Amino acid sequence: MGSLPDPGELTHPPPSFDDFQRQTSLMTSCTLLWKELSDHFSSLEQDLIKKSDALKAKFQALNNETQQSLQALDTRESSISKSMSIAFEALEKTTKLSFSFAATGADSQIEEPEVDDSVGLLMKLKSFCHKMAAREFWVFVTSRKKELELFRSELPKALADCVDPPRFVLEAISEVFPVASNCASYSYDLGWACVLLLESLIPVMVDPVLGKERLLVTPSIKGKAEEIAETWKKSLEERGGIENVKTPDVHTFLQHLVTFGIVKKEDVDLYRKLVVASAWRKQMPKLAVSLGLADKMPDMIEELIGRGQQVDAVHFTYEVGLADKFPPVPLLKAFLKDAKKAATSILEDPNNSGRAAVSLVFFVQHMAAKKEQSAIRAVLKCIEEYKLEAEFPPESLKKRLEQLEKAKIEKKKPASPAAKRTRASNGGPMPPAKAGRSTNAYVSSFPSPPTYVRSPSHTQYPAAAVPAYPASPAVYAHANRSPPYAYSPEAPPPALVVSYPVSPVSFPAYGGYSNGMAPAYQQAYY
């Protein structure tokens, strides 16, 4: 019988080296996983801390904004009484002035001020405002467009004397906005006057205490302004959409919204399209910001660049402070390059070359040069306005502009007589050059009319038998080129009456006759 195994002895063999390596690898992998998990939790903790700090900052900012809003509300509430007292004092003053004009018969008894300077202009405008004569006021302003800058400074002062300035301005522009009463072109021509009055109304409507933060507009006037805006929007479809609306009309509509504070968020897309379509207007960047389009400016600038309006894009860029994102110098250079390419395409157009008339060729060259000149002037103005001389020296542009101006002057000079002898249309020869003006010669492509010259060998006829010719030649049409005669062919030419001695003039032989008489040429009619 075999012996029984000792329970104290090991039943498994001792671990091998391979087992040890496996256990070592397992420990290493566990350590790496633990470290990875630790890093992950650490990053999560850091993210949570950052988000918590951001939420705390937002909460603090919201709390500060809330406090500022509450303070602003308290200020507005406390300023109502003061603002109303100031407004009532001004209203009472203007009402008394208006009643005094009506009571004394201002139209007949008070002499109308002469509008020869700023003082006279202001007095005239105030007289309209005191009487609330909106129609006469509108006719007076629209008839003096040359005094636009003077109106900008004096209109706010005059409108301040109105009993109800907003109502007065709305009545004044009602004939052309929102829809012209007479004809469509009437409103387009007078859009400048509408914008001028609406801009001049803003300083009159601001709160005397809070300023532009609050506009003093009555609910009835604000409702009327909203109705006018809705009427204008409905008329867009009747006029063929945004593309067919003139820029002055668009400018008036947008300024109307800003002046009366009736901008609507649901119409932001419409405002954006209108601004982009009329972006070349100087006031459009500021109007875009006032319309709440500041956050859409990057997209609008990119759209303007895509439409080839780089100069307008530069104006919008500086209005919202995006010059770092849209550098102005590359945009201006691209604009000049596009203008040069367009001018070259005009010159190289096959429809404008070939057997075209000389006048048409000159016209095409003039249009190409004019396009390039306009582009250079716009870029130079932009460089000067935004102080870009260091980044974009204007000397080369000024030199190029001088060259174009010099070429334009050279083309306006009259051509030499030799250059006129060649026909530009078919290459055929022109008639000989004109003779000197001293002989009063006339050159025509038609056969020369017969010249009546008395010959010594011809028989003299009685002067009475010859009918008299009119003293002054008649005016003939182009179809009748018979020569007018200043005197009878048989009568001697009238003597010249002069106040100084003149040596006798001998004429060369003409037509085979050597009688020494001056030939009677047809008078030139050009």
Side-chain angles (χ1 to χ4, degrees), residues 22-220:
R22 283 195 298 270
Q23 292 179 2
T24 303
S25 299
L26 181 61
M27 291 294 293
T28 303
S29 61
C30 290
T31 303
L32 293 175
L33 288 173
W34 175 259
K35 184 178 180 181
E36 184 177 352
L37 288 173
S38 299
D39 294 341
H40 179 64
F41 280 110
S42 298
S43 64
L44 288 177
E45 184 179 4
Q46 293 296 328
D47 291 341
L48 289 175
I49 292 174
K50 290 180 180 179
K51 291 181 179 180
S52 177
D53 293 340
L55 288 175
K56 289 180 180 179
K58 289 183 178 180
F59 180 77
Q60 185 66 30
L62 182 61
N63 188 22
N64 294 336
E65 186 178 352
T66 303
Q67 293 297 328
Q68 292 177 0
S69 299
L70 291 175
Q71 291 178 2
L73 288 175
D74 293 339
T75 304
R76 292 169 68 89
E77 184 178 1
S78 60
S79 66
I80 289 177
S81 58
K82 186 175 181 180
S83 299
M84 293 300 295
S85 62
I86 296 175
F88 278 127
E89 290 178 2
L91 179 62
E92 184 178 359
K93 179 181 177 181
T94 54
T95 304
K96 288 181 179 179
L97 288 173
S98 299
F99 278 131
S100 64
F101 268 85
T104 58
D107 292 335
S108 58
Q109 299 181 10
I110 298 179
E111 184 179 357
E112 291 291 335
E114 295 184 1
V115 187
D116 54 355
D117 55 3
S118 60
V119 177
L121 178 65
L122 180 59
M123 293 177 62
K124 186 70 174 179
L125 293 174
K126 283 188 174 183
S127 66
F128 291 128
C129 295
H130 291 155
K131 295 179 289 186
M132 290 294 287
R135 171 62 182 169
E136 293 79 2
F137 175 81
W138 172 255
V139 173
F140 178 77
V141 172
T142 54
S143 63
R144 294 176 174 268
K145 187 177 182 180
K146 294 182 179 180
E147 302 177 12
L148 182 60
E149 295 303 323
L150 194 58
F151 275 130
R152 290 187 188 278
S153 60
E154 303 299 335
L155 271 175
K157 304 175 186 177
L159 291 175
D161 287 351
C162 280
V163 177
D164 193 350
R167 184 185 299 276
F168 181 74
V169 170
L170 289 180
E171 291 179 358
I173 66 175
S174 61
E175 292 197 14
V176 296
F177 183 78
V179 179
S181 58
N182 295 335
C183 60
S185 60
Y186 185 59
S187 64
Y188 305 150
D189 296 338
L190 300 179
W192 64 271
C194 297
V195 174
L196 176 64
L197 294 181
L198 291 171
E199 289 178 345
S200 303
L201 184 60
I202 293 178
V204 182
M205 293 170 54
V206 296
D207 189 280
V209 179
L210 298 179
K212 294 183 179 180
E213 296 181 7
R214 181 169 61 193
L215 298 177
L216 298 180
V217 187
T218 60
S220 59

Side-chain angles (χ1 to χ4, degrees), residues 203-518:
V204 182
M205 293 170 54
V206 296
D207 189 280
V209 179
L210 298 179
K212 294 183 179 180
E213 296 181 7
R214 181 169 61 193
L215 298 177
L216 298 180
V217 187
T218 60
S220 59
I221 293 296
K222 192 169 184 178
K224 184 177 180 180
E226 291 177 348
E227 292 178 2
I228 292 174
E230 292 297 325
T231 302
W232 190 90
K233 287 190 293 184
K234 291 178 181 179
S235 68
L236 281 178
E237 298 180 359
E238 300 176 0
R239 288 183 280 185
I242 298 175
E243 296 79 8
N244 297 322
V245 181
K246 301 298 182 180
T247 297
D249 202 8
V250 173
H251 192 179
T252 302
F253 170 69
L254 298 179
Q255 186 63 54
H256 174 80
L257 298 177
V258 174
T259 299
F260 290 96
I262 53 176
V263 178
K264 295 183 179 180
K265 293 183 178 180
E266 56 268 22
D267 293 334
V268 170
D269 292 336
L270 174 63
Y271 304 155
R272 180 184 182 278
K273 293 178 181 178
L274 292 173
V275 169
V276 171
S278 305
W280 58 272
R281 281 268 177 160
K282 183 179 179 180
Q283 298 90 339
M284 280 300 160
K286 292 184 178 180
L287 280 178
V289 175
S290 302
L291 292 168
L293 300 176
D295 56 339
K296 297 183 179 294
M297 278 292 194
D299 297 335
M300 295 170 63
I301 293 173
E302 290 180 356
E303 184 175 352
L304 291 174
I305 295 173
R307 293 161 61 117
Q309 299 176 241
Q310 291 89 343
V311 174
D312 299 330
V314 171
H315 293 309
F316 279 77
T317 296
Y318 275 94
E319 184 63 31
V320 293
L322 294 176
D324 295 336
K325 185 176 181 180
F326 300 97
V329 174
L331 293 178
L332 297 178
K333 291 182 178 180
F335 179 74
L336 288 174
K337 184 177 179 181
D338 293 344
K340 182 67 175 178
K341 188 182 299 183
T344 305
S345 64
I346 293 175
L347 294 175
E348 295 178 352
D349 189 353
N351 296 326
N352 298 332
S353 59
R355 300 175 62 85
V358 176
S359 59
L360 177 59
V361 174
F362 287 162
F363 174 74
V364 171
Q365 293 176 352
H366 171 72
M367 292 302 297
K370 186 177 180 181
K371 187 173 185 63
E372 188 175 355
Q373 284 177 324
S374 300
I376 293 175
R377 289 193 182 98
V379 172
L380 287 175
K381 186 176 181 181
C382 198
I383 292 173
E384 181 181 359
E385 182 176 357
Y386 300 113
K387 311 298 180 183
L388 299 174
E389 290 83 357
E391 303 177 38
F392 195 172
E395 287 76 15
S396 60
L397 297 179
K398 293 180 180 179
K399 185 176 180 180
R400 175 59 179 166
L401 188 61
E402 292 177 358
Q403 293 175 353
L404 293 173
E405 289 288 348
K406 186 177 180 181
K408 182 179 179 181
I409 295 174
E410 290 292 335
K411 290 177 182 178
K412 287 184 178 181
K413 292 182 178 179
S416 60
K420 294 183 178 180
R421 296 179 205 168
T422 304
R423 294 187 185 271
S425 59
N426 54 10
M430 288 289 286
K434 293 190 295 183
R437 293 185 181 273
S438 61
T439 60
N440 194 20
Y442 169 72
V443 179
S444 174
S445 58
F446 294 91
S448 300
T451 305
Y452 296 92
V453 180
R454 185 172 58 182
S455 173
S457 61
H458 290 183
T459 306
Q460 292 283 350
Y461 294 93
V466 180
Y469 287 81
S472 59
V475 179
Y476 295 94
H478 291 286
N480 184 7
R481 297 181 179 269
S482 58
Y485 301 99
Y487 51 86
S488 172
E490 296 299 330
L496 296 175
V497 179
V498 293
S499 60
Y500 51 87
V502 181
S503 59
V505 180
S506 60
F507 292 91
Y510 180 78
Y513 301 100
S514 58
N515 57 354
M517 293 182 61

